Amino acid sequence: MHPPISLHGYAEAAAILKVDESWLRRHIKKMPHSKLGGRVRFTDEDVRRIVALFHQEPSTANLAASCATISPSPLRALRPIPRSTTGRAS
């Protein structure tokens, strides 16, 4: 016997993905899904694949290059004001 398959409609899948339902509807042709009885349904695997489609790894090469070109902050040149050795005037 096969385990039950969870099927999610637009609203539930959008909530799982934390996107607007309208966004999911607009991009449906690019998303893995099933059509059962004329209705769009998403399995848990479909939702995982959607996340994978939009996953992006950071580009460490670009990060290193951009850090090298950043000039030092002008705040680094600030120094504390020396304390006065005389007492305060009252």
Side-chain angles (χ1 to χ4, degrees), residues 31-83:
M31 305 293 167
H33 64 281
S34 300
K35 228 173 190 181
L36 303 168
R39 293 178 183 235
V40 171
R41 297 286 181 237
F42 301 90
T43 63
D44 290 334
E45 181 59 29
D46 290 336
V47 173
R48 280 191 284 279
R49 288 175 54 207
I50 291 169
V51 170
L53 283 171
F54 290 92
H55 177 79
Q56 299 200 11
E57 289 292 326
S59 173
T60 56
N62 290 342
L63 180 60
S66 66
C67 288
T69 61
I70 297 173
S71 60
S73 168
L75 296 177
R76 295 181 103 186
L78 292 179
R79 298 289 175 248
I81 298 173
R83 285 187 158 182

